[in-house]
């Protein structure tokens, strides 16, 4: 896929997970996130009219003019997976192992972050695609993720569930590739932009370029 979803997620490191009251609210929230410097957003199938919201946001761009990467989460059936991709979704996410979604994603060449909680479920998802969602992440905490990272050093691991924005740095330090956040993001546009800027992975320096100073705390 042209956007290389896993790379975008790993570079952004904070993945907003929207469970809006309706499609219009989801579209507005997505537009606000993109304007604040976010590029990848996950809309869930719990949003009424979610497919329409995906279709309305998939063609948008972020604050730097880059194409938005709109994913669909809580995808658990083949029908949902097909509808999400037909609407323009750039990646799919499930909360637990979902063989039907896996089949659709494989057939259509879509990025799929399959959910799991046990080490076996997470390792199986990683073997299939190189990525896994850890859910519900708050149950095991960063220590659980640190243990997983020791045996899955190269996997894209995205803990989600019960994580507050102020805890994101702890999860990143424990080895998260990106962290899913469902609530608690700042409403103020300037604060939101500062959060994304502070948490984003630093751009690789050109040869011979001095290292940049560490980013400040949020």
């Amino acid at each position: 896929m042209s956007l290389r979803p896993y790379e975008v997620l790993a570079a952004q490191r904070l993945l907003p997970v929207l469970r809006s009251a309706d499609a219009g609210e989801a579209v507005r929230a997505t537009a606000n996130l993109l304007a604040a410097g976010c590029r990848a957003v996950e809309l869930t199938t719990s949003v009424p009219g979610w497919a329409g919201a995906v279709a309305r946001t998939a063609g948008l761009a972020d604050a730097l003019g880059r194409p938005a990467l709109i994913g669909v989460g809580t995808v658990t059936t083949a029908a949902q997976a097909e509808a999400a991709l037909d609407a323009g979704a750039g990646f799919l996410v499930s909360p637990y192992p979902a063989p039907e979604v896996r089949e659709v994603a494989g057939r259509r060449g879509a990025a799929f972050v399959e959910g799991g909680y046990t080490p076996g479920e997470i390792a199986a998802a990683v073997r299939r695609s190189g990525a896994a969602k850890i859910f519900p992440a708050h149950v095991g905490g960063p220590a659980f993720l640190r243990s997983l990272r020791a045996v899955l050093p190269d996997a894209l691991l995205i803990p989600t569930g019960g994580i507050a924005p102020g805890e994101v740095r702890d999860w990143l330090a424990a080895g998260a590739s990106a962290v899913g956040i469902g609530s608690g993001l700042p409403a103020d546009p300037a604060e939101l932009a500062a959060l994304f800027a502070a948490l984003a992975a630093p751009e690789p320096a050109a040869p011979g370029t001095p290292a940049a100073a560490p980013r400040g705390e949020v």
Side-chain angles (χ1 to χ4, degrees):
M1 301 180 69
S2 59
L3 287 181
R4 292 197 287 259
Y6 291 172
E7 293 181 16
V8 173
L9 294 172
Q12 183 169 293
R13 301 211 289 188
L14 174 61
L15 175 62
V17 180
L18 300 184
R19 297 183 181 278
S20 305
D22 55 55
E25 181 181 314
V27 171
R28 290 189 293 274
T30 299
N32 290 339
L33 288 164
L34 295 174
C38 175
R39 186 181 182 190
V41 180
E42 179 185 328
L43 307 182
T44 66
T45 60
S46 62
V47 177
W50 62 268
V54 173
R56 292 166 62 186
T57 55
L60 299 178
D62 71 357
L64 299 178
R66 300 170 300 183
L69 180 64
I70 307 301
V72 177
T74 321
V75 179
T76 59
T77 68
Q80 289 174 336
E82 297 280 11
L85 296 175
D86 288 345
F91 63 98
L92 306 174
V93 185
S94 71
Y96 47 74
E100 291 183 26
V101 179
R102 193 186 311 146
E103 189 279 328
V104 173
R107 174 165 45 80
R108 297 190 56 170
F112 177 35
V113 183
E114 191 167 11
Y117 181 73
T118 69
E121 289 174 342
I122 295 165
V126 169
R127 279 196 301 272
R128 288 187 286 264
S129 70
K133 170 180 175 174
I134 301 169
F135 180 83
H138 69 92
V139 177
F144 179 59
L145 173 60
R146 194 172 288 111
S147 296
L148 289 171
R149 179 56 77 191
V151 296
L152 298 169
D154 301 318
L156 182 90
L157 299 179
I158 304 180
T160 307
I163 301 175
E167 300 169 334
V168 170
R169 289 185 183 278
D170 293 336
W171 285 92
L172 293 173
S177 306
V179 180
I181 296 291
S183 61
L185 291 174
D188 179 76
E191 291 182 19
L192 190 59
L195 179 64
F196 279 110
L199 292 176
E203 294 287 340
T209 302
R215 295 182 184 271
E217 295 292 321
V218 174

